[in-house]
């Protein structure tokens, strides 16, 4: 198989949590709230994890990151203020970064990009620390292919530059509405980003997160409708 065609294996763990196996076999977790109501049975918090990305300080995104990071010794990437919090929680391998920056970890390049959302760190219903700002990530895998996880965000015009600069082939976009973009806003985000594969997230966890991939398709241009892939939590999607 040509190196550039080696698959990216994406498993939705419910909400905004994803497990990704890179083409080079690295195990990556994004926003690992493994205890979410839609999480599939069978994903072990003891799994081998090389890298954890956390988009912002809300508890539905930090999720089980501290516990998993302590067990796995995975590198954890987060915005600087969230990194300080993670260090205070005993996460030794946390790495602070900020928007516009790119870091290489084990041959995988991760760029932190903007997101428009609140981000204070909440634990058990109270804000415990300031979280800096909410962010998104673009991952460039070992074979040059790329994926964008938007975190929690509204639509914003600079997504156009994320599309232009990083050309993410796969976009993971919140579509649930209320706390993030809904399907209509996400459809416009797709016009700015021009991804080949579009995956909705942050929907269906609770009834209030009411946007769906079907609704997203309705708002998309005809030529983009068939790019939407509806994932089932726990089922690997290789692309
Ligand atoms: Zn949030």
């Amino acid at each position: 198989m040509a190196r550039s065609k080696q698959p990216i294996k994406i498993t939705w763990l419910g909400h905004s949590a994803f497990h990704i196996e890179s083409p080079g076999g690295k195990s990556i977790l994004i926003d690992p709230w493994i205890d979410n109501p839609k999480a599939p049975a069978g994903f072990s918090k003891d799994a081998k994890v090389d890298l954890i990305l956390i988009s912002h300080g809300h508890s539905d995104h930090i999720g089980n990151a501290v516990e998993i990071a302590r067990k796995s010794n995975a590198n954890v990437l987060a915005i600087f203020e969230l990194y300080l919090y993670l260090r205070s929680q005993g996460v030794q391998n946390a790495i602070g970064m900020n928007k516009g920056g790119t870091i290489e970890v084990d041959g995988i390049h991760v760029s932190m990009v903007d997101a428009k959302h609140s981000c204070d760190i909440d634990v058990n219903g109270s804000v415990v620390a300031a979280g800096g700002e909410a962010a998104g990530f673009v991952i460039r895998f070992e074979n040059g292919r790329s994926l964008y996880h938007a975190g929690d965000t509204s639509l914003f015009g600079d997504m156009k530059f994320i599309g232009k600069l990083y050309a993410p082939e796969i976009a993971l976009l919140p579509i649930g509405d209320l706390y993030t973009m809904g399907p209509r806003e996400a459809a416009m985000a797709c016009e700015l980003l021009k991804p080949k594969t579009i995956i909705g997230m942050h929907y269906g966890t609770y009834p209030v997160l009411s946007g769906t991939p079907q609704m997203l398709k309705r708002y998309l241009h005809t030529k983009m409708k068939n790019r939407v892939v509806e994932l089932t939590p726990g089922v690997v999607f290789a692309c």
Side-chain angles (χ1 to χ4, degrees):
M1 195 187 294
R3 197 166 169 264
S4 61
K5 292 288 181 202
Q6 284 171 329
I8 300 163
K9 294 178 187 163
I10 302 170
T11 308
W12 189 31
L13 302 175
H15 205 58
S16 293
F18 288 86
H19 177 265
I20 294 171
E21 189 185 317
S22 76
K26 295 291 175 196
S27 177
I28 304 166
L29 280 175
I30 310 176
D31 285 355
W33 182 29
I34 309 301
D35 291 334
N36 78 76
K38 300 287 169 164
F43 183 81
S44 168
K45 289 177 202 160
D46 299 322
K48 175 186 103 76
V49 181
D50 300 299
L51 182 60
I52 299 172
L53 312 182
I54 308 175
S55 66
H56 64 292
H58 288 161
S59 53
D60 56 326
H61 294 260
I62 293 183
N64 305 93
V66 170
E67 179 188 350
I68 296 171
R70 283 198 201 125
K71 280 183 188 162
S72 65
N73 260 332
N75 288 300
V76 184
L77 300 185
I79 205 159
F80 182 72
E81 290 78 4
L82 181 51
Y83 145 82
L84 292 177
Y85 172 77
L86 293 167
R87 289 292 298 244
S88 78
Q89 298 301 303
V91 178
Q92 298 296 328
N93 289 359
I95 300 171
M97 63 187 299
N98 220 313
K99 295 176 192 180
T102 298
I103 183 169
E104 190 205 325
V105 182
D106 294 337
I108 295 169
H109 290 76
V110 180
S111 302
M112 181 173 276
V113 297
D114 202 8
K116 301 291 184 191
H117 188 70
S118 63
C119 66
D120 284 351
I121 298 163
D122 64 291
V123 175
N124 299 325
S126 298
V127 170
V128 297
E133 288 193 3
F137 293 103
V138 179
I139 305 173
R140 197 168 87 240
F141 296 103
E142 301 94 331
N143 58 359
R145 299 179 64 199
S146 59
L147 174 148
Y148 170 44
H149 185 291
D152 278 2
T153 189
S154 64
L155 173 70
F156 57 94
D158 283 359
M159 283 181 177
K160 180 177 157 189
F161 296 111
I162 293 173
K164 216 170 170 179
L165 187 57
Y166 304 108
E169 182 187 326
I170 303 158
L172 313 181
L173 301 174
I175 61 168
D177 217 328
L178 190 62
Y179 292 106
T180 67
M181 295 192 284
R184 189 169 168 224
E185 292 78 12
M188 186 157 283
C190 292
E191 282 182 38
L192 302 179
L193 294 159
K194 300 183 175 32
K196 293 197 180 85
T197 300
I198 302 161
I199 294 171
M201 62 180 182
H202 211 275
Y203 74 92
T205 323
Y206 302 108
V208 292
L209 304 183
S210 58
T212 65
Q214 289 307 317
M215 289 160 74
L216 172 61
K217 275 189 195 176
R218 241 175 276 152
Y219 286 111
L220 280 170
H221 272 291
T222 310
K223 61 176 178 16
M224 277 195 155
K225 286 184 198 290
N226 63 2
R227 299 184 191 182
V228 176
V229 178
E230 190 169 346
L231 299 189
T232 302
V235 178
V236 180
F237 169 65
C239 62

